[in-house]
């Protein structure tokens, strides 16, 4: 017996299609076909395409680990950023949508509230917490976009790309670029993803709580 159609099943099918084919691949017709129903039957459970997009974004936010109460703020921001990066790599279509929805779902709201709460508990004023989240998320989303656009996925692909670049260059051209490639990028075990931790550490080291944790919490 086929499982009954629900909003959660529709959203899950849309997420799976977007993972396979990109956001455009999760059309109403394609979602219905994946679920084995007529497209019009979807409208008994969702208001339309925008409602599905809201659900898809909320589903990705639901995959991001949230800081536990009492977690030190740097650890909370580091772990949350790492979890968010992993979720966005699983769902590349979501990078440009995460903060774009005018009707955020419960997982989205819970996520933002928990992140703000961790910073406020760590001594950040409302204003400084907003600054911190903006800075961290700008770095997070930008890094994931860059990471997803790279023309290699592993050591083998990276070696082929590097060989292709070097093969077309005159001897002695671009010495600094060649130095980076030979002494850093092509060293066994190199992982571009390691750059994420380095940059995130710089950002977190540059942030400072601006309130006395034992005093007023007013911004």
């Amino acid at each position: 017996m086929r499982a009954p159609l629900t909003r959660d099943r529709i959203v899950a099918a849309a997420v799976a299609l977007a993972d396979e084919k990109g956001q455009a691949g999760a059309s109403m017709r394609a979602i219905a076909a994946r679920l084995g129903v007529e497209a019009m039957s979807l409208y008994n459970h969702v208001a339309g395409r925008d409602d599905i997009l809201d659900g898809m974004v909320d589903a990705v936010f639901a995959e991001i680990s949230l800081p536990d109460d009492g977690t030190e703020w740097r650890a909370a921001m580091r772990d949350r950023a790492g979890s968010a990066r992993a979720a966005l790599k699983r769902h590349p279509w979501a990078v440009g949508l995460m903060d774009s929805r005018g009707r955020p779902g419960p997982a989205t709201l819970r996520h933002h509230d928990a992140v703000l709460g961790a910073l406020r508990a760590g001594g950040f004023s409302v204003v400084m917490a907003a600054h911190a989240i903006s800075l961290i998320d700008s770095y997070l989303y930008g890094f994931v976009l860059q990471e997803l656009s790279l023309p290699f996925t592993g050591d083998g692909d990276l070696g082929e790309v590097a060989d292709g670049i070097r093969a077309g260059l005159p001897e002695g051209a671009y010495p600094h670029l060649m130095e980076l490639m030979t002494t850093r990028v092509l060293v066994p075990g190199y992982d571009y993803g390691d750059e994420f931790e380095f940059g995130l550490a710089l950002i977190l080291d540059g942030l400072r709580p601006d309130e006395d944790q034992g005093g007023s919490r007013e911004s």
Side-chain angles (χ1 to χ4, degrees):
M1 179 182 295
R2 188 168 63 192
L5 195 61
T6 64
R7 186 177 188 276
D8 287 346
R9 287 192 64 216
I10 293 170
V11 169
V15 168
L17 283 166
D19 290 346
E20 297 168 10
K21 303 178 181 180
Q23 180 188 328
S27 66
M28 300 294 281
R29 187 181 299 276
I31 295 168
R34 174 64 61 95
L35 293 169
V37 299
E38 295 295 328
M40 287 304 297
S41 65
L42 301 180
Y43 290 94
N44 294 322
H45 305 277
V46 296
R49 169 78 170 164
D50 281 343
D51 189 20
I52 293 177
L53 286 174
D54 290 342
M56 292 166 66
V57 169
D58 206 51
V60 178
F61 269 113
E63 294 183 18
I64 300 173
S65 299
L66 299 180
D68 295 325
D69 291 342
T71 303
E72 191 270 334
W73 72 266
R74 286 185 184 84
M77 295 304 104
R78 182 181 62 249
D79 294 347
R80 172 260 174 184
S83 179
R85 174 178 166 235
L88 292 172
K89 289 178 69 177
R90 290 192 295 270
H91 309 292
W93 52 269
V95 179
L97 289 176
M98 294 298 279
D99 292 314
S100 70
R101 310 312 300 164
R103 296 171 61 90
T108 305
L109 296 173
R110 185 166 55 250
H111 172 274
H112 291 319
D113 189 70
V115 175
L116 278 167
L119 290 169
R120 293 289 283 138
F124 284 74
S125 67
V126 173
V127 172
M128 275 302 297
H131 290 332
I133 291 173
S134 177
L135 178 60
I136 294 169
D137 281 3
S138 294
Y139 173 70
L140 166 66
Y141 294 145
F143 188 93
V144 173
L145 280 172
Q146 185 174 25
E147 192 172 22
L148 292 172
S149 69
L150 293 172
F152 55 84
T153 57
D155 289 347
D157 292 340
L158 179 55
E160 291 181 9
V161 171
D163 288 343
I165 293 173
R166 289 187 294 186
L169 297 178
E171 184 70 26
Y174 311 110
H176 302 300
L177 178 59
M178 293 301 104
E179 179 185 42
L180 173 66
M181 291 174 61
T182 56
T183 65
R184 170 69 173 161
V185 175
L186 294 178
V187 172
Y190 171 77
D191 183 353
Y192 177 75
D194 293 340
E195 304 293 348
F196 180 75
E197 296 291 341
F198 179 83
L200 182 61
L202 285 180
I203 291 172
L204 296 180
D205 286 346
L207 292 171
R208 293 288 185 276
D210 60 333
E211 290 189 344
D212 179 356
Q213 295 186 49
S216 172
R217 296 277 303 263
E218 296 180 1
S219 61

